[in-house]
Amino acid sequence: MTLTQLFDLSLIDRQHESALEFEENSYSFGDIDRQSNQIAQLLLLKKIVAGDRLCLYLENSVDFISIYLACVKVGIIVVPINILYKDREINHISDDAAPKALIAAEPTGGELYWNVKHLIAESASMLEERPKSTLTGDSPAAIVYTSGTTGTSKGAVLSHNNFIANIINLITCWKMSSADRLLLGLPLFHVHGLANGMHCWLVAGFKLKLLVKYQHETAETAFTSFKPTIFFGVPTIYVRLLDRPAAIAKSIGSTVRLFVSGSAPLPPQVMQDFKAKYGSTILERYGMTETLMNISNPYVGERRPGTVGFPLPGMSVKIIKPDGHEAAIDEEGELHVKGPNVFEGYWKRPDATAEAFEGGYFKTGDMCVVSEDGYYTLRGRKSDLIISSGYNIYPREIEEFLLEQAEIAEAAVVGVPDQVKGEIPVAYLVTKSDVDINSLQELCKQSLAAFKVPKKFVIVDHLPRTALGKVQKHLLPK
Ligand code: MLC
Ligand code: AMP
């Protein structure tokens, strides 16, 4: 079975039902199905076929959904690109994925650029019936780039079966149904918004209100006017929701039956404060781009603060100590996972793929411990990956950029705790000559996604190193 056959539970079987609210417009499942069929016909006319890649550099929109669905129906592999990325980051992905085109709202991606509005306009004249396809559950559906556990970003190849396993787990375990209403402001270019939000919407058939992006200032209106029953957020969003007036919080909490948090650690204090103010116990879960959702607190039963709960149906997990043996209860080790939601590997990176698996299990790079009664607690990452507002930042990418600047001799980027964003990137520099910090930060803003730009630059006379010359980031001055 393919994603399309599951999506047809709504696209066809609920075609007259209202499906989506976006900005001032609303759409039925039939509207979405027809537009994506027309786009699929146009892509085929343009000689883009199953197995080809298509990059989407788009903010959340109906266009994103329609083009994504058109690709899934035909078997064109979607490569969503973080809308915050700058040319340097976009080029890395388009060089690696070698797409037939890069669809965007403004010119980017060199000669691969297609304008999204022109594409949509052109598709309006196409036939509305769905093109034939001979896909299977093993067909690749998307390549999602992630900084993963080591090195610069690699393309995680996710199949129809990977996404389907995730959808069925979440709809079942979180009791999602066509009676629900999801408010979604998370980006569709990451799996939290895409695999948990969009995919579950299309299969469960609930009402979706999609935001271009989640904005703290306007979120309250979205909650009180749309009255969602379920909400997905990253911890940063929940931290900010704590500053809403008590009465508003109570009314929001009274309509939402399920708040889910993930993509970064949810501080137990935030969970406690949220319960006090919104009257709702957040359900925290743990996932990765490479594996989609692995572990979740229960819908029924204790949602234990500071833990991510139990492995989802079909998952096998192990905690492996540095010596290679399985950890005992309450003993820390690296989390290894296996299941139908775990990807096959990284795009064109057999070496990185082989390195990422051991004995059929994917090595997550996340340190973990399990309690006597089976609750899993994440203890941090093996690598020095920084997660800021739920976005992944790989220090090496920023360090390499800083070292390209003539006046910088050495650079080390670390994550520093931040009340709202969880962590923020801070750069420690050894300089060859005077550096104007403001112009350096401006330069970073032009070349790196906003969330990657170091929020602070610290000039030091040397970086602490081991005898082997490896920087000891934990010894850097706080
Ligand atoms: C941020 N910006 C965006 C954006 N997210 N612009 C367009 N679309 C988006 N999705 C802009 C902001 O407007 C801001 O611009 C700048 O980028 C910095 O934003 P920020 O520092 O992130 O703060 P804020 O604007 O308050 O956004 C907070 C946030 C956002 C939490 C809403 O960071 C967010 O959506 N994070 C979620 C990331 C995510 O989906 N992670 C899941 C990865 S998958 P300006 O001009 O105002 O500076 C994964 C697996 C799993 O981890 O387990 O889920
Ligand atoms: P990504 O590479 O963007 O898919 O991010 C996946 C990483 O996010 C995981 O490897 C974890 O380090 C982190 N993560 C996801 N969910 C949680 C969570 N609930 N608690 C702590 N970290 C999380």
Side-chain angles (χ1 to χ4, degrees), residues 175-214:
K175 297 184 70 177
M176 293 195 260
S177 79
S178 56
D180 276 311
R181 303 166 65 80
L182 172 67
L183 173 61
L184 187 68
L186 295 174
L188 296 176
F189 51 72
H190 276 315
V191 296
H192 195 158
L194 178 73
N196 297 6
M198 189 212 283
H199 285 181
C200 289
W201 160 59
L202 287 167
V203 178
F206 48 69
K207 306 285 173 292
L208 171 66
K209 180 172 181 60
L210 181 67
L211 306 175
V212 172
K213 64 181 175 182
Y214 182 89

mmCIF file of all heavy atoms in Angstrom, residues 175-214:
data_model
loop_
_atom_site.group_PDB
_atom_site.id
_atom_site.type_symbol
_atom_site.label_atom_id
_atom_site.label_comp_id
_atom_site.label_asym_id
_atom_site.label_seq_id
_atom_site.Cartn_x
_atom_site.Cartn_y
_atom_site.Cartn_z
ATOM 1 N N LYS A 175 -5.195 8.879 19.424
ATOM 2 C CA LYS A 175 -6.657 8.865 19.228
ATOM 3 C C LYS A 175 -7.130 9.947 18.249
ATOM 4 O O LYS A 175 -8.140 10.618 18.493
ATOM 5 C CB LYS A 175 -7.372 9.033 20.563
ATOM 6 C CG LYS A 175 -7.094 7.890 21.542
ATOM 7 C CD LYS A 175 -7.894 8.022 22.826
ATOM 8 C CE LYS A 175 -9.368 7.764 22.582
ATOM 9 N NZ LYS A 175 -10.157 7.827 23.839
ATOM 10 N N MET A 176 -6.380 10.168 17.187
ATOM 11 C CA MET A 176 -6.793 11.202 16.222
ATOM 12 C C MET A 176 -7.927 10.656 15.351
ATOM 13 O O MET A 176 -7.941 9.471 15.009
ATOM 14 C CB MET A 176 -5.594 11.618 15.371
ATOM 15 C CG MET A 176 -4.539 12.347 16.201
ATOM 16 S SD MET A 176 -3.338 13.212 15.169
ATOM 17 C CE MET A 176 -1.988 12.065 15.197
ATOM 18 N N SER A 177 -8.890 11.539 15.000
ATOM 19 C CA SER A 177 -10.018 11.104 14.170
ATOM 20 C C SER A 177 -10.518 12.288 13.357
ATOM 21 O O SER A 177 -10.057 13.420 13.530
ATOM 22 C CB SER A 177 -11.147 10.615 15.070
ATOM 23 O OG SER A 177 -11.835 11.760 15.589
ATOM 24 N N SER A 178 -11.516 12.028 12.503
ATOM 25 C CA SER A 178 -12.045 13.086 11.630
ATOM 26 C C SER A 178 -12.775 14.153 12.454
ATOM 27 O O SER A 178 -13.060 15.234 11.959
ATOM 28 C CB SER A 178 -13.006 12.486 10.599
ATOM 29 O OG SER A 178 -14.030 11.784 11.267
ATOM 30 N N ALA A 179 -13.024 13.861 13.723
ATOM 31 C CA ALA A 179 -13.693 14.856 14.579
ATOM 32 C C ALA A 179 -12.699 15.884 15.123
ATOM 33 O O ALA A 179 -13.087 16.891 15.699
ATOM 34 C CB ALA A 179 -14.380 14.135 15.741
ATOM 35 N N ASP A 180 -11.421 15.672 14.906
ATOM 36 C CA ASP A 180 -10.418 16.580 15.480
ATOM 37 C C ASP A 180 -10.218 17.841 14.645
ATOM 38 O O ASP A 180 -10.667 17.924 13.496
ATOM 39 C CB ASP A 180 -9.076 15.829 15.618
ATOM 40 C CG ASP A 180 -9.019 15.023 16.916
ATOM 41 O OD1 ASP A 180 -9.346 15.619 17.978
ATOM 42 O OD2 ASP A 180 -8.683 13.830 16.865
ATOM 43 N N ARG A 181 -9.516 18.792 15.245
ATOM 44 C CA ARG A 181 -9.145 20.046 14.576
ATOM 45 C C ARG A 181 -7.700 20.347 14.990
ATOM 46 O O ARG A 181 -7.436 20.498 16.182
ATOM 47 C CB ARG A 181 -10.059 21.200 15.025
ATOM 48 C CG ARG A 181 -11.535 20.938 14.789
ATOM 49 C CD ARG A 181 -12.420 21.917 15.540
ATOM 50 N NE ARG A 181 -12.257 23.294 15.060
ATOM 51 C CZ ARG A 181 -12.840 23.762 13.952
ATOM 52 N NH1 ARG A 181 -13.589 22.959 13.220
ATOM 53 N NH2 ARG A 181 -12.664 25.012 13.562
ATOM 54 N N LEU A 182 -6.768 20.378 14.000
ATOM 55 C CA LEU A 182 -5.352 20.603 14.301
ATOM 56 C C LEU A 182 -4.939 22.015 13.874
ATOM 57 O O LEU A 182 -5.156 22.414 12.724
ATOM 58 C CB LEU A 182 -4.476 19.570 13.557
ATOM 59 C CG LEU A 182 -2.964 19.803 13.614
ATOM 60 C CD1 LEU A 182 -2.424 19.607 15.045
ATOM 61 C CD2 LEU A 182 -2.226 18.862 12.657
ATOM 62 N N LEU A 183 -4.344 22.750 14.798
ATOM 63 C CA LEU A 183 -3.734 24.047 14.481
ATOM 64 C C LEU A 183 -2.249 23.777 14.271
ATOM 65 O O LEU A 183 -1.574 23.299 15.194
ATOM 66 C CB LEU A 183 -3.936 25.022 15.643
ATOM 67 C CG LEU A 183 -3.215 26.379 15.523
ATOM 68 C CD1 LEU A 183 -3.703 27.145 14.302
ATOM 69 C CD2 LEU A 183 -3.410 27.203 16.802
ATOM 70 N N LEU A 184 -1.735 24.051 13.062
ATOM 71 C CA LEU A 184 -0.351 23.698 12.721
ATOM 72 C C LEU A 184 0.411 24.911 12.190
ATOM 73 O O LEU A 184 0.080 25.456 11.143
ATOM 74 C CB LEU A 184 -0.343 22.580 11.663
ATOM 75 C CG LEU A 184 1.022 21.978 11.322
ATOM 76 C CD1 LEU A 184 1.590 21.185 12.504
ATOM 77 C CD2 LEU A 184 0.927 21.063 10.090
ATOM 78 N N GLY A 185 1.428 25.319 12.994
ATOM 79 C CA GLY A 185 2.276 26.422 12.544
ATOM 80 C C GLY A 185 3.695 25.948 12.312
ATOM 81 O O GLY A 185 4.556 26.704 11.897
ATOM 82 N N LEU A 186 3.954 24.663 12.612
ATOM 83 C CA LEU A 186 5.306 24.136 12.410
ATOM 84 C C LEU A 186 5.587 24.031 10.918
ATOM 85 O O LEU A 186 4.661 23.824 10.128
ATOM 86 C CB LEU A 186 5.421 22.754 13.063
ATOM 87 C CG LEU A 186 5.290 22.730 14.591
ATOM 88 C CD1 LEU A 186 5.280 21.295 15.085
ATOM 89 C CD2 LEU A 186 6.408 23.529 15.249
ATOM 90 N N PRO A 187 6.860 24.157 10.515
ATOM 91 C CA PRO A 187 7.190 24.130 9.091
ATOM 92 C C PRO A 187 6.981 22.761 8.451
ATOM 93 O O PRO A 187 7.305 21.743 9.059
ATOM 94 C CB PRO A 187 8.660 24.523 9.053
ATOM 95 C CG PRO A 187 9.183 24.259 10.412
ATOM 96 C CD PRO A 187 8.043 24.437 11.345
ATOM 97 N N LEU A 188 6.445 22.739 7.252
ATOM 98 C CA LEU A 188 6.204 21.486 6.531
ATOM 99 C C LEU A 188 7.496 20.951 5.925
ATOM 100 O O LEU A 188 7.517 19.855 5.388
ATOM 101 C CB LEU A 188 5.150 21.703 5.443
ATOM 102 C CG LEU A 188 3.748 22.078 5.951
ATOM 103 C CD1 LEU A 188 2.810 22.362 4.782
ATOM 104 C CD2 LEU A 188 3.168 21.000 6.860
ATOM 105 N N PHE A 189 8.596 21.736 6.030
ATOM 106 C CA PHE A 189 9.859 21.235 5.469
ATOM 107 C C PHE A 189 10.604 20.363 6.483
ATOM 108 O O PHE A 189 11.689 19.882 6.209
ATOM 109 C CB PHE A 189 10.754 22.380 4.974
ATOM 110 C CG PHE A 189 10.980 23.495 5.949
ATOM 111 C CD1 PHE A 189 11.790 23.336 7.065
ATOM 112 C CD2 PHE A 189 10.381 24.737 5.735
ATOM 113 C CE1 PHE A 189 11.993 24.367 7.956
ATOM 114 C CE2 PHE A 189 10.582 25.788 6.633
ATOM 115 C CZ PHE A 189 11.393 25.603 7.734
ATOM 116 N N HIS A 190 10.039 20.188 7.676
ATOM 117 C CA HIS A 190 10.613 19.243 8.664
ATOM 118 C C HIS A 190 9.579 18.173 9.000
ATOM 119 O O HIS A 190 8.376 18.384 8.825
ATOM 120 C CB HIS A 190 11.003 19.984 9.949
ATOM 121 C CG HIS A 190 12.358 20.616 9.887
ATOM 122 N ND1 HIS A 190 13.469 19.970 9.384
ATOM 123 C CD2 HIS A 190 12.785 21.840 10.270
ATOM 124 C CE1 HIS A 190 14.504 20.773 9.461
ATOM 125 N NE2 HIS A 190 14.126 21.913 9.989
ATOM 126 N N VAL A 191 10.027 17.048 9.518
ATOM 127 C CA VAL A 191 9.107 15.921 9.693
ATOM 128 C C VAL A 191 8.077 16.172 10.799
ATOM 129 O O VAL A 191 6.995 15.573 10.768
ATOM 130 C CB VAL A 191 9.868 14.593 9.963
ATOM 131 C CG1 VAL A 191 10.717 14.217 8.770
ATOM 132 C CG2 VAL A 191 10.680 14.640 11.250
ATOM 133 N N HIS A 192 8.360 17.047 11.743
ATOM 134 C CA HIS A 192 7.362 17.309 12.794
ATOM 135 C C HIS A 192 6.080 17.847 12.132
ATOM 136 O O HIS A 192 4.987 17.320 12.342
ATOM 137 C CB HIS A 192 7.925 18.318 13.800
ATOM 138 C CG HIS A 192 7.153 18.376 15.081
ATOM 139 N ND1 HIS A 192 7.708 18.844 16.258
ATOM 140 C CD2 HIS A 192 5.883 18.027 15.378
ATOM 141 C CE1 HIS A 192 6.801 18.785 17.224
ATOM 142 N NE2 HIS A 192 5.685 18.302 16.723
ATOM 143 N N GLY A 193 6.224 18.858 11.310
ATOM 144 C CA GLY A 193 5.046 19.430 10.628
ATOM 145 C C GLY A 193 4.557 18.536 9.500
ATOM 146 O O GLY A 193 3.344 18.369 9.310
ATOM 147 N N LEU A 194 5.487 17.905 8.796
ATOM 148 C CA LEU A 194 5.123 17.137 7.593
ATOM 149 C C LEU A 194 4.545 15.759 7.939
ATOM 150 O O LEU A 194 3.414 15.440 7.600
ATOM 151 C CB LEU A 194 6.370 16.963 6.716
ATOM 152 C CG LEU A 194 6.185 16.143 5.437
ATOM 153 C CD1 LEU A 194 5.402 16.941 4.391
ATOM 154 C CD2 LEU A 194 7.524 15.721 4.844
ATOM 155 N N ALA A 195 5.347 14.965 8.666
ATOM 156 C CA ALA A 195 4.972 13.555 8.892
ATOM 157 C C ALA A 195 3.942 13.414 10.000
ATOM 158 O O ALA A 195 3.078 12.539 9.954
ATOM 159 C CB ALA A 195 6.218 12.736 9.216
ATOM 160 N N ASN A 196 4.047 14.285 11.020
ATOM 161 C CA ASN A 196 3.082 14.184 12.123
ATOM 162 C C ASN A 196 1.844 15.034 11.823
ATOM 163 O O ASN A 196 0.726 14.650 12.118
ATOM 164 C CB ASN A 196 3.708 14.659 13.437
ATOM 165 C CG ASN A 196 4.880 13.788 13.856
ATOM 166 O OD1 ASN A 196 5.299 12.899 13.108
ATOM 167 N ND2 ASN A 196 5.426 14.036 15.041
ATOM 168 N N GLY A 197 2.057 16.221 11.243
ATOM 169 C CA GLY A 197 0.935 17.126 10.981
ATOM 170 C C GLY A 197 0.215 16.792 9.688
ATOM 171 O O GLY A 197 -0.889 16.225 9.686
ATOM 172 N N MET A 198 0.850 17.098 8.550
ATOM 173 C CA MET A 198 0.169 16.958 7.258
ATOM 174 C C MET A 198 -0.299 15.520 6.983
ATOM 175 O O MET A 198 -1.446 15.284 6.598
ATOM 176 C CB MET A 198 1.084 17.421 6.109
ATOM 177 C CG MET A 198 0.339 17.510 4.782
ATOM 178 S SD MET A 198 1.381 17.148 3.370
ATOM 179 C CE MET A 198 2.299 18.674 3.228
ATOM 180 N N HIS A 199 0.616 14.573 7.208
ATOM 181 C CA HIS A 199 0.255 13.178 6.872
ATOM 182 C C HIS A 199 -0.917 12.668 7.710
ATOM 183 O O HIS A 199 -1.844 12.049 7.190
ATOM 184 C CB HIS A 199 1.469 12.275 7.062
ATOM 185 C CG HIS A 199 2.495 12.400 5.979
ATOM 186 N ND1 HIS A 199 3.647 11.653 5.957
ATOM 187 C CD2 HIS A 199 2.561 13.186 4.882
ATOM 188 C CE1 HIS A 199 4.353 11.948 4.887
ATOM 189 N NE2 HIS A 199 3.725 12.889 4.218
ATOM 190 N N CYS A 200 -0.894 12.944 9.025
ATOM 191 C CA CYS A 200 -1.993 12.426 9.868
ATOM 192 C C CYS A 200 -3.309 13.103 9.484
ATOM 193 O O CYS A 200 -4.374 12.476 9.483
ATOM 194 C CB CYS A 200 -1.672 12.634 11.346
ATOM 195 S SG CYS A 200 -0.360 11.539 11.917
ATOM 196 N N TRP A 201 -3.237 14.387 9.121
ATOM 197 C CA TRP A 201 -4.438 15.113 8.669
ATOM 198 C C TRP A 201 -5.066 14.417 7.476
ATOM 199 O O TRP A 201 -6.287 14.166 7.436
ATOM 200 C CB TRP A 201 -4.048 16.555 8.308
ATOM 201 C CG TRP A 201 -4.992 17.290 7.428
ATOM 202 C CD1 TRP A 201 -6.306 17.554 7.668
ATOM 203 C CD2 TRP A 201 -4.688 17.855 6.136
ATOM 204 N NE1 TRP A 201 -6.841 18.271 6.607
ATOM 205 C CE2 TRP A 201 -5.875 18.459 5.653
ATOM 206 C CE3 TRP A 201 -3.522 17.929 5.352
ATOM 207 C CZ2 TRP A 201 -5.922 19.120 4.432
ATOM 208 C CZ3 TRP A 201 -3.578 18.580 4.131
ATOM 209 C CH2 TRP A 201 -4.763 19.162 3.690
ATOM 210 N N LEU A 202 -4.242 14.017 6.508
ATOM 211 C CA LEU A 202 -4.770 13.435 5.262
ATOM 212 C C LEU A 202 -5.323 12.031 5.477
ATOM 213 O O LEU A 202 -6.134 11.553 4.705
ATOM 214 C CB LEU A 202 -3.669 13.419 4.197
ATOM 215 C CG LEU A 202 -3.337 14.782 3.614
ATOM 216 C CD1 LEU A 202 -2.045 14.731 2.810
ATOM 217 C CD2 LEU A 202 -4.478 15.294 2.743
ATOM 218 N N VAL A 203 -4.871 11.357 6.519
ATOM 219 C CA VAL A 203 -5.375 9.989 6.736
ATOM 220 C C VAL A 203 -6.532 9.984 7.722
ATOM 221 O O VAL A 203 -7.580 9.380 7.476
ATOM 222 C CB VAL A 203 -4.232 9.063 7.210
ATOM 223 C CG1 VAL A 203 -4.774 7.660 7.479
ATOM 224 C CG2 VAL A 203 -3.116 8.995 6.163
ATOM 225 N N ALA A 204 -6.395 10.739 8.826
ATOM 226 C CA ALA A 204 -7.479 10.777 9.825
ATOM 227 C C ALA A 204 -8.643 11.631 9.329
ATOM 228 O O ALA A 204 -9.790 11.434 9.745
ATOM 229 C CB ALA A 204 -6.943 11.315 11.151
ATOM 230 N N GLY A 205 -8.349 12.586 8.453
ATOM 231 C CA GLY A 205 -9.417 13.387 7.839
ATOM 232 C C GLY A 205 -9.967 14.477 8.736
ATOM 233 O O GLY A 205 -11.105 14.920 8.576
ATOM 234 N N PHE A 206 -9.140 14.963 9.699
ATOM 235 C CA PHE A 206 -9.631 16.040 10.565
ATOM 236 C C PHE A 206 -9.487 17.393 9.858
ATOM 237 O O PHE A 206 -8.993 17.475 8.738
ATOM 238 C CB PHE A 206 -8.913 16.037 11.929
ATOM 239 C CG PHE A 206 -7.409 15.934 11.897
ATOM 240 C CD1 PHE A 206 -6.620 16.983 11.423
ATOM 241 C CD2 PHE A 206 -6.775 14.779 12.343
ATOM 242 C CE1 PHE A 206 -5.249 16.900 11.413
ATOM 243 C CE2 PHE A 206 -5.385 14.692 12.344
ATOM 244 C CZ PHE A 206 -4.630 15.744 11.875
ATOM 245 N N LYS A 207 -9.955 18.457 10.537
ATOM 246 C CA LYS A 207 -9.841 19.807 9.980
ATOM 247 C C LYS A 207 -8.466 20.370 10.331
ATOM 248 O O LYS A 207 -8.017 20.248 11.479
ATOM 249 C CB LYS A 207 -10.907 20.731 10.607
ATOM 250 C CG LYS A 207 -12.322 20.234 10.513
ATOM 251 C CD LYS A 207 -12.913 20.371 9.140
ATOM 252 C CE LYS A 207 -14.276 19.676 9.092
ATOM 253 N NZ LYS A 207 -14.155 18.194 9.224
ATOM 254 N N LEU A 208 -7.833 21.005 9.376
ATOM 255 C CA LEU A 208 -6.497 21.569 9.610
ATOM 256 C C LEU A 208 -6.537 23.075 9.389
ATOM 257 O O LEU A 208 -7.059 23.540 8.365
ATOM 258 C CB LEU A 208 -5.488 20.949 8.637
ATOM 259 C CG LEU A 208 -4.093 21.575 8.593
ATOM 260 C CD1 LEU A 208 -3.363 21.349 9.922
ATOM 261 C CD2 LEU A 208 -3.268 20.996 7.450
ATOM 262 N N LYS A 209 -6.012 23.828 10.366
ATOM 263 C CA LYS A 209 -5.762 25.257 10.120
ATOM 264 C C LYS A 209 -4.252 25.394 10.038
ATOM 265 O O LYS A 209 -3.542 25.127 11.016
ATOM 266 C CB LYS A 209 -6.294 26.150 11.244
ATOM 267 C CG LYS A 209 -6.012 27.653 10.968
ATOM 268 C CD LYS A 209 -6.693 28.563 11.943
ATOM 269 C CE LYS A 209 -6.455 30.045 11.678
ATOM 270 N NZ LYS A 209 -6.924 30.497 10.347
ATOM 271 N N LEU A 210 -3.772 25.752 8.842
ATOM 272 C CA LEU A 210 -2.332 25.844 8.608
ATOM 273 C C LEU A 210 -1.901 27.308 8.703
ATOM 274 O O LEU A 210 -2.538 28.180 8.107
ATOM 275 C CB LEU A 210 -1.998 25.293 7.215
ATOM 276 C CG LEU A 210 -0.518 25.300 6.815
ATOM 277 C CD1 LEU A 210 0.275 24.325 7.677
ATOM 278 C CD2 LEU A 210 -0.357 24.978 5.328
ATOM 279 N N LEU A 211 -0.827 27.562 9.468
ATOM 280 C CA LEU A 211 -0.255 28.908 9.544
ATOM 281 C C LEU A 211 1.001 28.951 8.692
ATOM 282 O O LEU A 211 1.704 27.954 8.574
ATOM 283 C CB LEU A 211 0.113 29.232 10.999
ATOM 284 C CG LEU A 211 -0.999 29.076 12.052
ATOM 285 C CD1 LEU A 211 -0.436 29.320 13.449
ATOM 286 C CD2 LEU A 211 -2.157 30.012 11.734
ATOM 287 N N VAL A 212 1.286 30.122 8.115
ATOM 288 C CA VAL A 212 2.527 30.254 7.339
ATOM 289 C C VAL A 212 3.694 29.907 8.246
ATOM 290 O O VAL A 212 4.598 29.174 7.874
ATOM 291 C CB VAL A 212 2.701 31.683 6.791
ATOM 292 C CG1 VAL A 212 4.069 31.860 6.150
ATOM 293 C CG2 VAL A 212 1.594 32.003 5.811
ATOM 294 N N LYS A 213 3.643 30.451 9.455
ATOM 295 C CA LYS A 213 4.606 30.061 10.486
ATOM 296 C C LYS A 213 3.974 30.406 11.818
ATOM 297 O O LYS A 213 3.091 31.258 11.902
ATOM 298 C CB LYS A 213 5.933 30.811 10.327
ATOM 299 C CG LYS A 213 5.850 32.313 10.513
ATOM 300 C CD LYS A 213 7.222 32.942 10.312
ATOM 301 C CE LYS A 213 7.114 34.456 10.369
ATOM 302 N NZ LYS A 213 8.396 35.121 10.137
ATOM 303 N N TYR A 214 4.415 29.727 12.860
ATOM 304 C CA TYR A 214 3.854 29.979 14.173
ATOM 305 C C TYR A 214 4.420 31.303 14.683
ATOM 306 O O TYR A 214 5.634 31.479 14.747
ATOM 307 C CB TYR A 214 4.226 28.853 15.128
ATOM 308 C CG TYR A 214 3.635 29.040 16.493
ATOM 309 C CD1 TYR A 214 2.372 28.531 16.795
ATOM 310 C CD2 TYR A 214 4.314 29.773 17.461
ATOM 311 C CE1 TYR A 214 1.814 28.728 18.052
ATOM 312 C CE2 TYR A 214 3.757 29.989 18.712
ATOM 313 C CZ TYR A 214 2.515 29.470 18.997
ATOM 314 O OH TYR A 214 1.963 29.677 20.233
#
